[in-house]
Amino acid sequence: DLHSFPTRRSSDLEPAVKTEGTRLTATGEFEIQQTDFGIKPFSAGLGALEVQDRLRVRFDIVADRKE
């Protein structure tokens, strides 16, 4: 689930997870509609510059286990 208080939405997030020795890496991406979370898409210059409602989030998370 994706959670941005007070909104929670289900997601089909399926990260690629890889382990090498003591390191774990998770990578992936997902899209959200900003307005689903009560976020007004950015605009400036009296609307001359606007951002789409759809937002693509990409991530790379690396964790190392301490021994």
Side-chain angles (χ1 to χ4, degrees):
D1 287 352
L2 298 174
H3 186 221
S4 177
F5 186 79
T7 306
R8 182 182 299 263
R9 297 278 187 262
S10 293
S11 173
D12 294 328
L13 179 62
E14 294 184 24
V17 179
K18 180 172 64 170
T19 58
E20 293 179 19
T22 62
R23 175 171 285 180
L24 180 135
T25 305
T27 60
E29 67 179 51
F30 59 93
E31 292 184 353
I32 64 167
Q33 297 288 112
Q34 295 180 72
T35 52
D36 286 350
F37 291 90
I39 301 168
K40 182 179 176 187
F42 175 81
S43 69
L46 300 173
L49 174 66
E50 294 183 344
V51 173
Q52 291 183 351
D53 188 19
R54 185 179 3 192
L55 179 67
R56 178 176 290 153
V57 179
R58 294 182 179 146
F59 61 90
D60 294 306
I61 301 171
V62 179
D64 283 309
R65 180 178 53 200
K66 291 186 177 182
E67 293 189 32

